[in-house]
Amino acid sequence: MKVHQFARGFWEQEPTLTLGGCKRFRPLAPKLPNSDNVVSATPFDLKSFIRPESGPRKLGFSDDKRESTQVETQPGGTRWNPTQEQIGILEMLYRGGMRTPNAQQIEQITAQLGKYGKIEGKNVFYWFQNHKARERQKQKRNSLGLSHCPRTPASTISSSITMETRGSEEEREDSPCKRKCRTWTFECLEEDKRYNKEEGDRTLELFPLHPEGR
Amino acid sequence: MKVHQFARGFWEQEPTLTLGGCKRFRPLAPKLPNSDNVVSATPFDLKSFIRPESGPRKLGFSDDKRESTQVETQPGGTRWNPTQEQIGILEMLYRGGMRTPNAQQIEQITAQLGKYGKIEGKNVFYWFQNHKARERQKQKRNSLGLSHCPRTPASTISSSITMETRGSEEEREDSPCKRKCRTWTFECLEEDKRYNKEEGDRTLELFPLHPEGR
DNA sequence: GCAAATTAATGATTTATTCAAG
DNA sequence: CTTGAATAAATCATTAATTTGC
């Protein structure tokens, strides 16, 4: 099987990946301590490798200096705490019919909401996911209690801005036809901790492979 | 309520947000026929049109030269088509115990696998998700047939490289304790379509629009 | 041998659940 | 108790295998 061969090259080039922390894996290759390998590799071997939640959860926003000790993959950190403005806007968008914003939309929403407080794209994403799910639950609960006239709670929604959302088709809430709208990429944990600093932080590049460039 | 106020500014500044690709909604704002908002959206309306193989599906490694015209913001989107090398490495990692790599891990894996063909972080993420889920299904199916001795298939995994992954703690397979490891961000649809790229096209910035310094 | 037609795999998204911070 | 965060299950969609008729 050729896999091993490939694997071989793989490990040799990226010793980092050879489970720095997880010794169980015996590297197929010698080890190759070569300091800088390809992709700048961000040496951080495997600390986070599967044991990310060990460290202190709290530190949060103190002020990242993690690169020194690498505090296990980012300070767990405080979770997003939306401001009234942010919630208001999100709800408006929701009422407006938005259910599963795509990457660009999320990006822009995030940019806007960032004016009212720290926020990241994932917060927006999650908010829509949760809000949608919970509205659904609520509705289901209600329907059980009423057992008829399923259209009741729609009032707020339908009143002013139901929009085309689903009025046109047969679909309800969020049809599956909206598939394939989102694209995303992973980001180095390090940086997502910044609060909203001005300019610069908008231009985040997606592949923060370089250790600390920013 | 101030919401409207915010909303107002919001829409004005970010017309793009009016649902780029999902025409279903009618934007609160005028409409903004501005072409760019469709953005990718990959109106792929017709491409898949029942005759999926019409276009040059093969390109893969041949030597694509399409980047010149960029084919309207990327072609409906070819999905990732892993090479043998990539699969081999991924499977190795999986056998090594990796189940839900975090952002950093994904990043690095992606960087490595990128040597063997175009790949993005999300592909790696999805691969693990799917592989894990499908192994589970398979196992369940098997167990139904056997209805006993649940420890059977573990052999390969436990034998040589279980790693610290969860060897140290109480967690098995993929306990929920691994929560909160991942961080990701959304990316503009535009670029994710490029094929392999080398240089710096990775540093793209995401906010083509920030209206004002915020 | 070969393409169109079908089927099997599997990549990509969405939805449902669960966990836990506040 | 509310709700942000994360994962697993279900689902959709596209690509590669394969079968089939010529």
Side-chain angles (χ1 to χ4, degrees):
Chain A
M1 204 180 181
K2 302 151 71 182
V3 170
H4 285 90
Q5 181 189 336
F6 299 132
R8 177 90 172 197
F10 183 61
W11 293 113
E12 284 173 355
Q13 294 167 32
E14 289 298 6
T16 330
L17 260 179
T18 65
L19 316 222
C22 315
K23 50 321 206 130
R24 230 49 111 21
F25 236 141
R26 209 231 320 291
L28 295 170
K31 186 53 185 299
L32 203 303
N34 189 331
S35 58
D36 94 286
N37 26 20
V38 220
V39 235
S40 74
T42 57
F44 71 97
D45 35 304
L46 291 304
K47 54 199 69 305
S48 58
F49 226 115
I50 286 139
R51 279 293 72 188
E53 40 69 351
S54 49
R57 242 16 176 277
K58 250 25 175 277
L59 28 79
F61 48 81
S62 63
D63 145 35
D64 61 355
K65 78 254 282 60
R66 64 344 187 132
E67 29 78 51
S68 59
T69 55
Q70 108 277 331
V71 195
E72 356 301 337
T73 324
Q74 143 248 122
T78 17
R79 63 182 195 180
W80 172 53
N81 201 6
T83 65
Q84 278 307 307
E85 290 98 333
Q86 292 174 328
I87 292 293
I89 294 173
L90 288 170
E91 287 183 341
M92 183 180 62
L93 290 170
Y94 187 88
R95 286 203 308 279
M98 189 177 282
R99 293 290 181 280
T100 308
N102 65 29
Q104 287 196 326
Q105 298 171 324
I106 286 178
E107 223 175 79
Q108 301 191 16
I109 294 170
T110 303
Q112 284 303 314
L113 299 190
K115 294 175 178 172
Y116 307 109
K118 172 195 165 76
I119 187 172
E120 294 176 73
K122 69 172 187 177
N123 304 133
V124 174
F125 172 75
Y126 284 141
W127 188 89
F128 276 98
Q129 291 259 109
N130 285 320
H131 199 69
K132 179 169 53 175
R134 280 156 185 159
E135 282 293 306
R136 211 180 271 139
Q137 290 182 332
K138 196 179 301 177
Q139 199 149 320
K140 183 186 292 179
R141 243 197 317 272
N142 284 351
S143 69
L144 285 178
L146 304 180
S147 75
H148 79 81
C149 185
R151 198 53 49 67
T152 313
S155 61
T156 38
I157 300 176
S158 59
S159 63
S160 57
I161 34 182
T162 297
M163 324 179 96
E164 293 308 304
T165 308
R166 74 283 215 204
S168 59
E169 299 293 350
E170 75 308 319
E171 59 168 338
R172 332 88 85 263
E173 275 314 287
D174 39 14
S175 73
C177 82
K178 232 161 297 154
R179 289 301 173 73
K180 182 193 279 22
C181 309
R182 184 176 305 110
T183 298
W184 39 278
T185 181
F186 295 87
E187 144 182 288
C188 196
L189 297 161
E190 258 86 69
E191 86 206 346
D192 80 9
K193 250 56 218 179
R194 340 193 69 345
Y195 275 52
N196 41 1
K197 25 259 281 132
E198 342 297 328
E199 65 281 359
D201 107 319
R202 251 71 194 69
T203 63
L204 44 99
E205 50 259 275
L206 309 219
F207 282 81
L209 290 197
H210 38 43
E212 81 295 66
R214 23 168 102 291
Chain B
M1 197 178 185
K2 298 146 81 180
V3 171
H4 284 90
Q5 181 187 334
F6 298 131
R8 178 84 174 198
F10 186 63
W11 288 116
E12 285 174 354
Q13 292 170 34
E14 296 296 6
T16 330
L17 254 181
T18 66
L19 309 232
C22 313
K23 52 317 187 155
R24 228 43 115 13
F25 311 129
R26 211 224 320 293
L28 293 171
K31 182 53 184 295
L32 204 312
N34 191 330
S35 60
D36 81 322
N37 68 358
V38 178
V39 181
S40 52
T42 56
F44 66 101
D45 34 290
L46 294 305
K47 49 194 74 303
S48 58
F49 223 143
I50 292 146
R51 276 302 74 189
E53 47 73 344
S54 56
R57 252 4 177 220
K58 254 31 185 266
L59 32 82
F61 48 82
S62 64
D63 121 44
D64 56 4
K65 77 263 280 70
R66 92 244 319 24
E67 34 68 59
S68 60
T69 58
Q70 183 171 5
V71 196
E72 64 269 358
T73 322
Q74 126 256 129
T78 13
R79 67 181 194 183
W80 171 53
N81 203 1
T83 65
Q84 278 306 308
E85 291 96 332
Q86 294 175 328
I87 290 293
I89 294 171
L90 287 169
E91 288 185 339
M92 185 177 57
L93 290 171
Y94 187 88
R95 287 204 307 280
M98 189 178 280
R99 294 290 181 280
T100 309
N102 64 29
Q104 287 195 328
Q105 297 171 327
I106 287 176
E107 229 173 74
Q108 300 195 12
I109 294 170
T110 303
Q112 283 303 313
L113 299 189
K115 294 175 178 171
Y116 306 108
K118 171 198 166 78
I119 187 173
E120 292 177 76
K122 69 172 186 177
N123 303 131
V124 173
F125 172 75
Y126 286 142
W127 188 91
F128 276 98
Q129 290 257 108
N130 284 321
H131 199 71
K132 180 169 53 176
R134 280 157 183 157
E135 283 292 307
R136 213 180 269 140
Q137 290 182 331
K138 196 181 300 178
Q139 199 149 321
K140 183 188 292 180
R141 246 198 312 275
N142 283 352
S143 68
L144 286 176
L146 304 180
S147 76
H148 79 83
C149 188
R151 195 52 46 68
T152 315
S155 60
T156 38
I157 300 174
S158 59
S159 63
S160 58
I161 37 186
T162 297
M163 322 166 94
E164 289 309 300
T165 306
R166 70 285 212 221
S168 59
E169 299 295 349
E170 75 306 324
E171 57 172 341
R172 332 85 88 265
E173 269 314 287
D174 40 10
S175 70
C177 81
K178 232 166 294 160
R179 290 299 172 73
K180 181 194 278 38
C181 309
R182 185 175 304 111
T183 297
W184 36 276
T185 185
F186 295 86
E187 144 183 288
C188 198
L189 297 160
E190 258 86 75
E191 91 242 347
D192 81 11
K193 251 50 213 183
R194 343 313 235 70
Y195 274 53
N196 44 6
K197 61 356 180 161
E198 4 292 282
E199 64 271 356
D201 86 331
R202 251 75 190 73
T203 64
L204 45 100
E205 54 246 285
L206 316 211
F207 286 79
L209 52 119
H210 53 311
E212 77 284 325
R214 112 235 258 270

